Short mmCIF file of all heavy atoms in Angstrom, two decimals:
data_model
loop_
_atom_site.label_atom_id
_atom_site.label_comp_id
_atom_site.label_asym_id
_atom_site.label_seq_id
_atom_site.Cartn_x
_atom_site.Cartn_y
_atom_site.Cartn_z
N MET A 1 0.84 -1.19 0.00
CA MET A 1 0.00 0.00 0.00
C MET A 1 0.87 1.25 0.00
O MET A 1 1.96 1.26 0.52
CB MET A 1 -0.91 0.02 1.22
CG MET A 1 -2.15 -0.80 1.08
SD MET A 1 -3.17 -0.57 2.51
CE MET A 1 -3.68 -2.25 2.73
N ASN A 2 0.31 2.27 -0.53
CA ASN A 2 1.01 3.55 -0.60
C ASN A 2 1.08 4.17 0.80
O ASN A 2 0.07 4.39 1.45
CB ASN A 2 0.24 4.46 -1.56
CG ASN A 2 0.93 5.76 -1.81
OD1 ASN A 2 1.64 6.30 -0.98
ND2 ASN A 2 0.70 6.30 -2.98
N ASN A 3 2.30 4.46 1.26
CA ASN A 3 2.48 5.04 2.59
C ASN A 3 1.77 6.37 2.73
O ASN A 3 1.24 6.70 3.80
CB ASN A 3 3.97 5.21 2.90
CG ASN A 3 4.63 3.89 3.24
OD1 ASN A 3 3.96 2.94 3.63
ND2 ASN A 3 5.92 3.84 3.09
N ASN A 4 1.76 7.17 1.67
CA ASN A 4 1.10 8.47 1.71
C ASN A 4 -0.40 8.31 1.96
O ASN A 4 -0.98 9.05 2.76
CB ASN A 4 1.35 9.23 0.41
CG ASN A 4 0.89 10.67 0.50
OD1 ASN A 4 0.99 11.31 1.54
ND2 ASN A 4 0.38 11.18 -0.60
N LEU A 5 -1.02 7.33 1.32
CA LEU A 5 -2.45 7.10 1.54
C LEU A 5 -2.72 6.66 2.97
O LEU A 5 -3.70 7.09 3.57
CB LEU A 5 -2.98 6.04 0.56
CG LEU A 5 -3.06 6.45 -0.89
CD1 LEU A 5 -3.48 5.27 -1.75
CD2 LEU A 5 -4.03 7.61 -1.07
N MET A 6 -1.85 5.84 3.50
CA MET A 6 -2.03 5.39 4.88
C MET A 6 -1.88 6.56 5.85
O MET A 6 -2.62 6.66 6.82
CB MET A 6 -1.03 4.28 5.21
CG MET A 6 -1.28 3.00 4.44
SD MET A 6 -2.95 2.35 4.66
CE MET A 6 -2.88 1.84 6.35
N GLN A 7 -0.95 7.46 5.57
CA GLN A 7 -0.78 8.64 6.42
C GLN A 7 -2.02 9.52 6.35
O GLN A 7 -2.48 10.04 7.37
CB GLN A 7 0.45 9.43 6.01
CG GLN A 7 1.75 8.76 6.35
CD GLN A 7 2.96 9.49 5.78
OE1 GLN A 7 2.85 10.27 4.84
NE2 GLN A 7 4.12 9.22 6.36
N MET A 8 -2.55 9.70 5.14
CA MET A 8 -3.75 10.51 4.97
C MET A 8 -4.92 9.90 5.72
O MET A 8 -5.67 10.60 6.40
CB MET A 8 -4.08 10.68 3.48
CG MET A 8 -3.10 11.55 2.75
SD MET A 8 -3.37 11.57 0.98
CE MET A 8 -4.91 12.45 0.87
N LEU A 9 -5.09 8.59 5.60
CA LEU A 9 -6.18 7.91 6.28
C LEU A 9 -6.06 8.08 7.79
O LEU A 9 -7.04 8.39 8.48
CB LEU A 9 -6.19 6.43 5.90
CG LEU A 9 -7.28 5.58 6.51
CD1 LEU A 9 -8.66 6.08 6.11
CD2 LEU A 9 -7.11 4.13 6.10
N SER A 10 -4.86 7.93 8.30
CA SER A 10 -4.62 8.10 9.73
C SER A 10 -4.95 9.52 10.17
O SER A 10 -5.59 9.73 11.21
CB SER A 10 -3.17 7.76 10.05
OG SER A 10 -2.90 8.02 11.39
N GLN A 11 -4.54 10.50 9.38
CA GLN A 11 -4.80 11.90 9.74
C GLN A 11 -6.29 12.21 9.70
O GLN A 11 -6.80 12.91 10.57
CB GLN A 11 -4.05 12.82 8.79
CG GLN A 11 -4.17 14.27 9.19
CD GLN A 11 -3.42 15.20 8.26
OE1 GLN A 11 -2.96 14.81 7.21
NE2 GLN A 11 -3.33 16.44 8.66
N ILE A 12 -7.00 11.68 8.72
CA ILE A 12 -8.44 11.91 8.64
C ILE A 12 -9.12 11.35 9.89
O ILE A 12 -10.02 11.98 10.44
CB ILE A 12 -9.04 11.26 7.37
CG1 ILE A 12 -8.56 12.03 6.13
CG2 ILE A 12 -10.55 11.22 7.43
CD1 ILE A 12 -8.86 11.32 4.83
N ARG A 13 -8.70 10.19 10.31
CA ARG A 13 -9.31 9.56 11.49
C ARG A 13 -9.01 10.32 12.77
O ARG A 13 -9.86 10.44 13.63
CB ARG A 13 -8.83 8.12 11.62
CG ARG A 13 -9.43 7.20 10.61
CD ARG A 13 -8.95 5.80 10.81
NE ARG A 13 -9.61 4.88 9.91
CZ ARG A 13 -9.16 3.70 9.60
NH1 ARG A 13 -8.03 3.25 10.11
NH2 ARG A 13 -9.82 2.92 8.75
N THR A 14 -7.77 10.81 12.92
CA THR A 14 -7.39 11.44 14.18
C THR A 14 -7.76 12.92 14.27
O THR A 14 -8.09 13.40 15.34
CB THR A 14 -5.88 11.29 14.44
OG1 THR A 14 -5.16 11.87 13.36
CG2 THR A 14 -5.48 9.84 14.61
N ASN A 15 -7.70 13.62 13.14
CA ASN A 15 -8.00 15.06 13.17
C ASN A 15 -8.56 15.50 11.82
O ASN A 15 -7.84 16.08 11.00
CB ASN A 15 -6.74 15.85 13.52
CG ASN A 15 -7.05 17.28 13.87
OD1 ASN A 15 -8.09 17.81 13.51
ND2 ASN A 15 -6.13 17.92 14.56
N PRO A 16 -9.84 15.24 11.57
CA PRO A 16 -10.42 15.55 10.26
C PRO A 16 -10.33 17.02 9.87
O PRO A 16 -10.06 17.35 8.73
CB PRO A 16 -11.88 15.10 10.36
CG PRO A 16 -12.09 14.67 11.75
CD PRO A 16 -10.79 14.63 12.47
N MET A 17 -10.50 17.93 10.83
CA MET A 17 -10.46 19.36 10.50
C MET A 17 -9.07 19.76 10.03
O MET A 17 -8.94 20.52 9.07
CB MET A 17 -10.91 20.19 11.70
CG MET A 17 -11.15 21.62 11.33
SD MET A 17 -12.39 21.73 10.02
CE MET A 17 -12.94 23.37 10.20
N GLN A 18 -8.04 19.27 10.70
CA GLN A 18 -6.68 19.59 10.28
C GLN A 18 -6.43 19.08 8.86
O GLN A 18 -5.83 19.78 8.04
CB GLN A 18 -5.66 18.99 11.25
CG GLN A 18 -4.23 19.29 10.85
CD GLN A 18 -3.22 18.64 11.77
OE1 GLN A 18 -3.57 17.89 12.67
NE2 GLN A 18 -1.96 18.93 11.55
N PHE A 19 -6.89 17.88 8.57
CA PHE A 19 -6.73 17.32 7.23
C PHE A 19 -7.41 18.21 6.19
O PHE A 19 -6.85 18.53 5.16
CB PHE A 19 -7.30 15.90 7.16
CG PHE A 19 -7.27 15.33 5.78
CD1 PHE A 19 -6.11 14.76 5.29
CD2 PHE A 19 -8.39 15.40 4.96
CE1 PHE A 19 -6.07 14.24 3.99
CE2 PHE A 19 -8.36 14.89 3.67
CZ PHE A 19 -7.19 14.31 3.19
N LEU A 20 -8.63 18.62 6.49
CA LEU A 20 -9.38 19.47 5.55
C LEU A 20 -8.65 20.79 5.31
O LEU A 20 -8.53 21.24 4.17
CB LEU A 20 -10.79 19.72 6.08
CG LEU A 20 -11.71 18.50 6.13
CD1 LEU A 20 -12.97 18.81 6.92
CD2 LEU A 20 -12.04 18.02 4.73
N LEU A 21 -8.17 21.40 6.37
CA LEU A 21 -7.49 22.68 6.24
C LEU A 21 -6.17 22.54 5.47
O LEU A 21 -5.85 23.37 4.63
CB LEU A 21 -7.23 23.29 7.62
CG LEU A 21 -8.46 23.79 8.36
CD1 LEU A 21 -8.11 24.20 9.79
CD2 LEU A 21 -9.13 24.93 7.62
N GLN A 22 -5.41 21.49 5.76
CA GLN A 22 -4.14 21.28 5.08
C GLN A 22 -4.34 21.05 3.59
O GLN A 22 -3.47 21.36 2.79
CB GLN A 22 -3.38 20.11 5.68
CG GLN A 22 -2.72 20.44 6.99
CD GLN A 22 -1.96 19.25 7.56
OE1 GLN A 22 -2.20 18.11 7.22
NE2 GLN A 22 -1.04 19.55 8.46
N ASN A 23 -5.47 20.49 3.23
CA ASN A 23 -5.76 20.21 1.83
C ASN A 23 -6.64 21.29 1.20
O ASN A 23 -7.23 21.10 0.15
CB ASN A 23 -6.39 18.83 1.69
CG ASN A 23 -5.36 17.76 1.97
OD1 ASN A 23 -4.52 17.48 1.13
ND2 ASN A 23 -5.38 17.19 3.16
N LYS A 24 -6.71 22.43 1.89
CA LYS A 24 -7.42 23.62 1.41
C LYS A 24 -8.88 23.35 1.08
O LYS A 24 -9.42 23.85 0.11
CB LYS A 24 -6.68 24.22 0.22
CG LYS A 24 -5.29 24.71 0.59
CD LYS A 24 -4.57 25.29 -0.59
CE LYS A 24 -3.21 25.82 -0.31
NZ LYS A 24 -2.38 25.28 0.68
N LEU A 25 -9.51 22.52 1.91
CA LEU A 25 -10.93 22.25 1.78
C LEU A 25 -11.64 23.04 2.87
O LEU A 25 -11.27 22.99 4.03
CB LEU A 25 -11.22 20.76 1.92
CG LEU A 25 -10.58 19.88 0.84
CD1 LEU A 25 -10.73 18.41 1.20
CD2 LEU A 25 -11.18 20.17 -0.52
N ASN A 26 -12.66 23.79 2.48
CA ASN A 26 -13.36 24.67 3.40
C ASN A 26 -14.66 24.02 3.85
O ASN A 26 -15.55 23.78 3.04
CB ASN A 26 -13.63 26.00 2.70
CG ASN A 26 -14.29 26.99 3.62
OD1 ASN A 26 -14.28 26.85 4.83
ND2 ASN A 26 -14.89 28.00 3.03
N VAL A 27 -14.75 23.73 5.14
CA VAL A 27 -15.95 23.13 5.72
C VAL A 27 -16.29 23.90 6.98
O VAL A 27 -15.42 24.14 7.82
CB VAL A 27 -15.71 21.64 6.06
CG1 VAL A 27 -16.92 21.04 6.76
CG2 VAL A 27 -15.36 20.85 4.81
N PRO A 28 -17.56 24.31 7.14
CA PRO A 28 -17.96 25.02 8.36
C PRO A 28 -17.69 24.18 9.62
O PRO A 28 -17.82 22.96 9.60
CB PRO A 28 -19.46 25.23 8.18
CG PRO A 28 -19.67 25.18 6.71
CD PRO A 28 -18.67 24.18 6.20
N GLN A 29 -17.33 24.85 10.68
CA GLN A 29 -16.99 24.18 11.94
C GLN A 29 -18.10 23.26 12.44
O GLN A 29 -17.83 22.22 13.02
CB GLN A 29 -16.70 25.23 13.02
CG GLN A 29 -15.38 25.93 12.86
CD GLN A 29 -14.21 25.07 13.27
OE1 GLN A 29 -14.34 24.18 14.10
NE2 GLN A 29 -13.06 25.31 12.68
N ASN A 30 -19.36 23.63 12.22
CA ASN A 30 -20.46 22.84 12.75
C ASN A 30 -20.66 21.52 12.02
O ASN A 30 -21.49 20.70 12.42
CB ASN A 30 -21.77 23.64 12.75
CG ASN A 30 -22.23 23.99 11.35
OD1 ASN A 30 -21.43 24.08 10.42
ND2 ASN A 30 -23.51 24.24 11.21
N MET A 31 -19.90 21.27 10.96
CA MET A 31 -20.04 20.03 10.19
C MET A 31 -18.93 19.03 10.45
O MET A 31 -18.99 17.92 9.96
CB MET A 31 -20.04 20.34 8.69
CG MET A 31 -21.23 21.05 8.20
SD MET A 31 -21.12 21.19 6.41
CE MET A 31 -22.56 22.16 6.10
N VAL A 32 -17.92 19.39 11.19
CA VAL A 32 -16.71 18.57 11.26
C VAL A 32 -16.92 17.20 11.90
O VAL A 32 -16.08 16.33 11.74
CB VAL A 32 -15.54 19.29 11.95
CG1 VAL A 32 -15.13 20.52 11.16
CG2 VAL A 32 -15.86 19.63 13.38
N ASN A 33 -18.02 16.97 12.56
CA ASN A 33 -18.26 15.67 13.19
C ASN A 33 -19.20 14.78 12.39
O ASN A 33 -19.51 13.69 12.83
CB ASN A 33 -18.78 15.86 14.61
CG ASN A 33 -17.73 16.47 15.51
OD1 ASN A 33 -16.56 16.15 15.40
ND2 ASN A 33 -18.14 17.38 16.37
N ASP A 34 -19.66 15.24 11.25
CA ASP A 34 -20.60 14.46 10.44
C ASP A 34 -20.03 14.27 9.03
O ASP A 34 -20.11 15.17 8.19
CB ASP A 34 -21.94 15.17 10.38
CG ASP A 34 -23.01 14.34 9.67
OD1 ASP A 34 -22.66 13.40 8.92
OD2 ASP A 34 -24.19 14.64 9.86
N PRO A 35 -19.45 13.10 8.76
CA PRO A 35 -18.83 12.85 7.45
C PRO A 35 -19.78 13.07 6.28
O PRO A 35 -19.37 13.59 5.24
CB PRO A 35 -18.39 11.40 7.52
CG PRO A 35 -18.31 11.08 8.97
CD PRO A 35 -19.31 11.96 9.64
N ASN A 36 -21.05 12.71 6.44
CA ASN A 36 -22.01 12.89 5.34
C ASN A 36 -22.23 14.36 5.03
O ASN A 36 -22.31 14.77 3.88
CB ASN A 36 -23.33 12.19 5.65
CG ASN A 36 -23.19 10.69 5.63
OD1 ASN A 36 -22.45 10.14 4.81
ND2 ASN A 36 -23.86 10.03 6.54
N GLN A 37 -22.32 15.18 6.08
CA GLN A 37 -22.48 16.63 5.87
C GLN A 37 -21.24 17.21 5.21
O GLN A 37 -21.35 18.08 4.35
CB GLN A 37 -22.73 17.35 7.19
CG GLN A 37 -24.15 17.26 7.67
CD GLN A 37 -24.38 18.17 8.87
OE1 GLN A 37 -23.47 18.50 9.62
NE2 GLN A 37 -25.63 18.57 9.05
N ILE A 38 -20.06 16.74 5.61
CA ILE A 38 -18.82 17.22 5.02
C ILE A 38 -18.81 16.90 3.53
O ILE A 38 -18.54 17.78 2.69
CB ILE A 38 -17.59 16.61 5.71
CG1 ILE A 38 -17.46 17.15 7.14
CG2 ILE A 38 -16.32 16.88 4.91
CD1 ILE A 38 -16.43 16.44 7.98
N ILE A 39 -19.11 15.67 3.18
CA ILE A 39 -19.10 15.26 1.77
C ILE A 39 -20.12 16.07 0.97
O ILE A 39 -19.81 16.58 -0.11
CB ILE A 39 -19.36 13.75 1.64
CG1 ILE A 39 -18.17 12.98 2.21
CG2 ILE A 39 -19.61 13.35 0.19
CD1 ILE A 39 -18.41 11.49 2.40
N ASN A 40 -21.32 16.18 1.50
CA ASN A 40 -22.35 16.95 0.79
C ASN A 40 -21.93 18.41 0.59
O ASN A 40 -22.13 18.98 -0.48
CB ASN A 40 -23.69 16.89 1.53
CG ASN A 40 -24.35 15.54 1.41
OD1 ASN A 40 -24.12 14.80 0.45
ND2 ASN A 40 -25.18 15.19 2.37
N HIS A 41 -21.35 19.01 1.62
CA HIS A 41 -20.90 20.40 1.52
C HIS A 41 -19.81 20.53 0.45
O HIS A 41 -19.85 21.45 -0.38
CB HIS A 41 -20.38 20.90 2.87
CG HIS A 41 -19.81 22.27 2.81
ND1 HIS A 41 -20.61 23.40 2.78
CD2 HIS A 41 -18.52 22.71 2.74
CE1 HIS A 41 -19.83 24.47 2.70
NE2 HIS A 41 -18.56 24.08 2.67
N LEU A 42 -18.83 19.62 0.47
CA LEU A 42 -17.75 19.67 -0.52
C LEU A 42 -18.27 19.50 -1.94
O LEU A 42 -17.81 20.17 -2.86
CB LEU A 42 -16.69 18.61 -0.19
CG LEU A 42 -15.92 18.83 1.11
CD1 LEU A 42 -15.01 17.64 1.40
CD2 LEU A 42 -15.12 20.13 1.08
N LEU A 43 -19.25 18.62 -2.11
CA LEU A 43 -19.86 18.43 -3.44
C LEU A 43 -20.64 19.67 -3.86
O LEU A 43 -20.49 20.16 -4.99
CB LEU A 43 -20.78 17.21 -3.44
CG LEU A 43 -20.11 15.85 -3.48
CD1 LEU A 43 -21.13 14.75 -3.15
CD2 LEU A 43 -19.47 15.60 -4.85
N GLN A 44 -21.47 20.19 -2.98
CA GLN A 44 -22.33 21.33 -3.31
C GLN A 44 -21.54 22.60 -3.60
O GLN A 44 -21.96 23.43 -4.39
CB GLN A 44 -23.33 21.59 -2.19
CG GLN A 44 -24.39 20.53 -2.09
CD GLN A 44 -25.29 20.71 -0.87
OE1 GLN A 44 -25.08 21.60 -0.05
NE2 GLN A 44 -26.27 19.84 -0.73
N THR A 45 -20.39 22.74 -2.97
CA THR A 45 -19.58 23.94 -3.18
C THR A 45 -18.53 23.74 -4.27
O THR A 45 -17.74 24.65 -4.53
CB THR A 45 -18.88 24.37 -1.87
OG1 THR A 45 -18.07 23.30 -1.39
CG2 THR A 45 -19.90 24.78 -0.81
N GLY A 46 -18.52 22.57 -4.89
CA GLY A 46 -17.60 22.33 -6.01
C GLY A 46 -16.15 22.11 -5.59
O GLY A 46 -15.25 22.16 -6.42
N GLN A 47 -15.92 21.86 -4.31
CA GLN A 47 -14.55 21.62 -3.85
C GLN A 47 -14.05 20.23 -4.23
O GLN A 47 -12.85 20.00 -4.34
CB GLN A 47 -14.46 21.82 -2.34
CG GLN A 47 -14.74 23.27 -1.94
CD GLN A 47 -14.65 23.46 -0.46
OE1 GLN A 47 -13.57 23.39 0.13
NE2 GLN A 47 -15.80 23.67 0.18
N VAL A 48 -14.98 19.31 -4.40
CA VAL A 48 -14.69 17.97 -4.92
C VAL A 48 -15.80 17.62 -5.90
O VAL A 48 -16.88 18.22 -5.87
CB VAL A 48 -14.60 16.89 -3.81
CG1 VAL A 48 -13.48 17.18 -2.83
CG2 VAL A 48 -15.92 16.73 -3.09
N ASN A 49 -15.54 16.63 -6.77
CA ASN A 49 -16.60 16.20 -7.67
C ASN A 49 -17.02 14.77 -7.32
O ASN A 49 -16.38 14.10 -6.51
CB ASN A 49 -16.16 16.33 -9.14
CG ASN A 49 -14.97 15.47 -9.47
OD1 ASN A 49 -14.89 14.31 -9.09
ND2 ASN A 49 -14.03 16.03 -10.22
N GLN A 50 -18.10 14.32 -7.94
CA GLN A 50 -18.65 13.01 -7.60
C GLN A 50 -17.65 11.89 -7.88
O GLN A 50 -17.57 10.92 -7.13
CB GLN A 50 -19.96 12.77 -8.37
CG GLN A 50 -20.68 11.51 -7.94
CD GLN A 50 -21.11 11.54 -6.48
OE1 GLN A 50 -21.79 12.48 -6.05
NE2 GLN A 50 -20.72 10.54 -5.69
N GLN A 51 -16.87 12.03 -8.94
CA GLN A 51 -15.88 10.99 -9.26
C GLN A 51 -14.83 10.88 -8.15
O GLN A 51 -14.42 9.78 -7.79
CB GLN A 51 -15.21 11.27 -10.60
CG GLN A 51 -14.27 10.16 -11.05
CD GLN A 51 -14.99 8.83 -11.22
OE1 GLN A 51 -16.03 8.76 -11.86
NE2 GLN A 51 -14.45 7.78 -10.64
N GLN A 52 -14.41 11.99 -7.59
CA GLN A 52 -13.44 11.96 -6.50
C GLN A 52 -14.03 11.26 -5.27
O GLN A 52 -13.35 10.49 -4.60
CB GLN A 52 -13.00 13.38 -6.13
CG GLN A 52 -12.14 14.02 -7.19
CD GLN A 52 -11.91 15.50 -6.93
OE1 GLN A 52 -12.86 16.25 -6.70
NE2 GLN A 52 -10.65 15.90 -6.95
N VAL A 53 -15.30 11.52 -5.00
CA VAL A 53 -15.97 10.87 -3.87
C VAL A 53 -16.06 9.37 -4.13
O VAL A 53 -15.75 8.55 -3.25
CB VAL A 53 -17.37 11.48 -3.62
CG1 VAL A 53 -18.15 10.69 -2.58
CG2 VAL A 53 -17.24 12.93 -3.19
N ASN A 54 -16.45 9.00 -5.34
CA ASN A 54 -16.54 7.58 -5.69
C ASN A 54 -15.19 6.89 -5.54
O ASN A 54 -15.11 5.78 -5.00
CB ASN A 54 -17.06 7.40 -7.12
CG ASN A 54 -18.49 7.86 -7.28
OD1 ASN A 54 -19.22 8.07 -6.32
ND2 ASN A 54 -18.90 8.05 -8.51
N ASN A 55 -14.14 7.54 -6.01
CA ASN A 55 -12.80 6.98 -5.89
C ASN A 55 -12.40 6.79 -4.43
O ASN A 55 -11.80 5.79 -4.06
CB ASN A 55 -11.76 7.84 -6.61
CG ASN A 55 -11.91 7.82 -8.11
OD1 ASN A 55 -12.56 6.95 -8.68
ND2 ASN A 55 -11.30 8.79 -8.76
N ALA A 56 -12.74 7.76 -3.60
CA ALA A 56 -12.41 7.67 -2.18
C ALA A 56 -13.15 6.51 -1.52
O ALA A 56 -12.57 5.76 -0.72
CB ALA A 56 -12.76 8.98 -1.47
N TYR A 57 -14.43 6.33 -1.88
CA TYR A 57 -15.19 5.21 -1.33
C TYR A 57 -14.58 3.88 -1.75
O TYR A 57 -14.45 2.95 -0.94
CB TYR A 57 -16.66 5.26 -1.78
CG TYR A 57 -17.53 6.17 -0.97
CD1 TYR A 57 -18.30 7.14 -1.58
CD2 TYR A 57 -17.60 6.06 0.42
CE1 TYR A 57 -19.11 7.99 -0.85
CE2 TYR A 57 -18.41 6.90 1.16
CZ TYR A 57 -19.17 7.86 0.53
OH TYR A 57 -19.96 8.70 1.25
N GLN A 58 -14.20 3.77 -3.02
CA GLN A 58 -13.58 2.54 -3.51
C GLN A 58 -12.27 2.26 -2.78
O GLN A 58 -11.98 1.13 -2.41
CB GLN A 58 -13.34 2.61 -5.03
CG GLN A 58 -14.62 2.55 -5.83
CD GLN A 58 -14.37 2.79 -7.31
OE1 GLN A 58 -13.28 3.10 -7.74
NE2 GLN A 58 -15.44 2.68 -8.11
N MET A 59 -11.48 3.29 -2.56
CA MET A 59 -10.22 3.13 -1.87
C MET A 59 -10.45 2.70 -0.42
O MET A 59 -9.76 1.84 0.11
CB MET A 59 -9.43 4.44 -1.92
CG MET A 59 -7.99 4.31 -1.53
SD MET A 59 -7.11 5.87 -1.68
CE MET A 59 -7.44 6.32 -3.37
N ALA A 60 -11.45 3.30 0.21
CA ALA A 60 -11.76 2.96 1.60
C ALA A 60 -12.17 1.50 1.74
O ALA A 60 -11.83 0.85 2.73
CB ALA A 60 -12.86 3.88 2.13
N GLN A 61 -12.86 0.97 0.76
CA GLN A 61 -13.28 -0.43 0.80
C GLN A 61 -12.07 -1.36 0.81
O GLN A 61 -12.11 -2.43 1.42
CB GLN A 61 -14.18 -0.75 -0.40
CG GLN A 61 -15.53 -0.05 -0.37
CD GLN A 61 -16.33 -0.41 0.86
OE1 GLN A 61 -16.43 -1.56 1.24
NE2 GLN A 61 -16.88 0.60 1.53
N ARG A 62 -11.00 -0.97 0.16
CA ARG A 62 -9.78 -1.80 0.12
C ARG A 62 -9.11 -1.87 1.48
O ARG A 62 -8.40 -2.80 1.77
CB ARG A 62 -8.79 -1.24 -0.90
CG ARG A 62 -9.28 -1.34 -2.30
CD ARG A 62 -8.21 -0.84 -3.26
NE ARG A 62 -8.86 -0.46 -4.50
CZ ARG A 62 -8.43 0.47 -5.31
NH1 ARG A 62 -7.33 1.12 -5.04
NH2 ARG A 62 -9.08 0.75 -6.41
N PHE A 63 -9.33 -0.85 2.34
CA PHE A 63 -8.68 -0.80 3.65
C PHE A 63 -9.44 -1.57 4.71
O PHE A 63 -8.95 -1.75 5.81
CB PHE A 63 -8.48 0.65 4.10
CG PHE A 63 -7.50 1.41 3.27
CD1 PHE A 63 -7.88 2.58 2.64
CD2 PHE A 63 -6.20 0.96 3.10
CE1 PHE A 63 -6.98 3.30 1.87
CE2 PHE A 63 -5.30 1.67 2.33
CZ PHE A 63 -5.69 2.84 1.71
N LYS A 64 -10.63 -2.02 4.40
CA LYS A 64 -11.45 -2.75 5.40
C LYS A 64 -10.95 -4.15 5.58
O LYS A 64 -10.42 -4.79 4.77
CB LYS A 64 -12.91 -2.76 4.98
CG LYS A 64 -13.56 -1.41 5.16
CD LYS A 64 -15.03 -1.52 4.90
CE LYS A 64 -15.70 -0.19 5.20
NZ LYS A 64 -17.12 -0.24 5.06
#
């Protein structure tokens, strides 16, 4: 597995807000504890596209 992906996964789990800020993703503070709200916000504001979300889900399935 790619070490960078594992580091990113670890950072998302331990401090999601820091990960979002480091990757220049803007999410309101009141959403940081709800992954579904974060994803919907990122999609609605055009910060990510549906293909990126799909790819992330596929990648996450490999880590289970």
